[in-house]
Amino acid sequence: METKEISQAVIGRLPRYLRYLGDLKDEGVERISSQELSERMKVTASQIRQDFNNFGGFGQQGYGYNVAYLYDEISKILGLDHKYHFVIIGAGNLGKALGNYLNFERRGFIFKGIFDKNPDLVGQDVRGVKVMAIEDLERFLKENPVEIAVLTIPKTSAVDIVDVLVDNGIQAIWNFAHVDLNVPDGVLVENVHLSDSLMKLSYNINRRKTEKDL
Ligand code: NAI
């Protein structure tokens, strides 16, 4: 497979392809044309072909894509053929909700620990994992291989905790705190702002209203 630089826009679309291909696999579909996939996903067939061409195409002309093969290849491109261990910092509403979400394991993300500064939460069970005191984080990271930290704490706390994470081997931060984090080169940060998606929705609601009024 080619390993040329792939645009972030294409990478951003791959998880959606993977979801649809996973559903097709579950339905027992073995082959699918770009046209059929396009109808299901409501994107153009040419977009699908262009996206897949970044990786050498995946398909044989006129024969469609092999669903299981395509699923495996996209999984590999996304690095999902590896296992990753993650800890959650902040056992509030969001931290617990993420800890309770089983599907991360299905994708190879293993929930190893959850930490909070509130002593009342320490010892509570989140899907078989006991909430630990934040003071135990450093020791835990030294003793356990953990690649990813999920930050579900307020922004000031997030800024303060970054050094502890980075100094103890965390390679990537899934950051839900509303702040841009300063990390050394080599540490990855993926910011998530659910409200961005909501604002997109509000933009589209208003655009539709304006179109109707015209
Ligand atoms: P929450 O108040 O239920 O939970 C926050 C938890 O973090 C509390 O249990 C608190 O004790 C703990 N905490 C605070 N400082 C800490 C520290 N230094 N070390 C360890 N634990 C610490 O809040 P919720 O609803 O779970 O939200 C968490 C954060 O995520 C909030 O700051 C919120 O603004 C943000 N958020 C971001 C979203 C996004 O889309 N990016 C969506 C929802 C919330």
Side-chain angles (χ1 to χ4, degrees):
M1 199 195 314
E2 289 180 42
T3 51
K4 62 177 179 173
E5 190 73 29
I6 310 297
S7 81
Q8 287 295 314
V10 175
I11 301 294
R13 287 195 286 274
L14 293 183
R16 185 158 182 259
Y17 287 123
L18 197 69
R19 272 203 308 279
Y20 273 81
L21 291 163
D23 288 347
L24 288 164
K25 250 177 34 147
D26 291 347
E27 289 168 29
V29 177
E30 288 176 6
R31 289 202 162 267
I32 189 154
S33 65
S34 50
Q35 191 54 45
E36 285 169 292
L37 193 56
S38 124
E39 279 158 22
R40 276 201 180 223
M41 294 186 64
K42 308 226 179 334
V43 291
T44 63
S46 85
Q47 164 101 80
I48 292 176
R49 283 193 295 268
Q50 259 177 40
D51 283 349
F52 292 174
N53 275 342
N54 282 290
F55 312 103
F58 294 142
Q60 285 160 275
Q61 206 66 39
Y63 193 49
Y65 299 108
N66 177 319
V67 171
Y69 173 75
L70 193 50
Y71 181 91
D72 287 347
E73 289 303 307
I74 293 181
S75 295
K76 276 189 228 160
I77 291 160
L78 289 171
L80 300 176
D81 53 339
H82 295 91
K83 293 245 181 294
Y84 302 95
H85 305 90
F86 71 92
V87 292
I88 299 175
I89 316 298
N93 295 310
L94 187 56
K96 280 187 185 145
L98 292 172
N100 276 311
Y101 184 57
L102 270 169
N103 258 7
F104 293 139
E105 254 84 11
R106 201 179 142 211
R107 296 274 184 235
F109 298 96
I110 318 291
F111 175 36
K112 293 299 284 183
I114 178 162
F115 295 84
D116 204 285
K117 71 168 189 184
N118 179 351
D120 292 343
L121 298 178
V122 173
Q124 283 190 5
D125 185 281
V126 181
R127 202 158 53 82
V129 176
K130 296 266 183 274
V131 176
M132 289 173 265
I134 194 67
E135 292 75 21
D136 292 335
L137 175 66
E138 201 167 336
R139 181 191 48 78
F140 186 90
L141 293 179
K142 285 188 166 49
E143 291 173 1
N144 297 277
V146 178
E147 297 84 17
I148 301 174
V150 182
L151 294 189
T152 51
I153 46 181
K155 52 184 171 184
T156 45
S157 306
V159 170
D160 293 343
I161 206 107
V162 163
D163 287 347
V164 178
L165 298 171
V166 169
D167 291 348
N168 290 285
I170 288 294
Q171 296 168 21
I173 298 176
W174 200 25
N175 178 32
F176 286 81
H178 296 298
V179 61
D180 292 328
L181 300 170
N182 274 325
V183 293
D185 284 350
V187 176
L188 300 165
V189 179
E190 179 67 29
N191 296 308
V192 185
H193 298 294
L194 298 179
S195 51
D196 288 6
S197 173
L198 209 49
M199 284 187 251
K200 211 164 126 194
L201 200 60
S202 89
Y203 168 80
N204 284 320
I205 292 171
N206 281 292
R207 199 179 61 165
R208 213 166 55 179
K209 262 197 216 144
T210 318
E211 279 168 4
K212 270 191 196 151
D213 292 345
L214 284 176

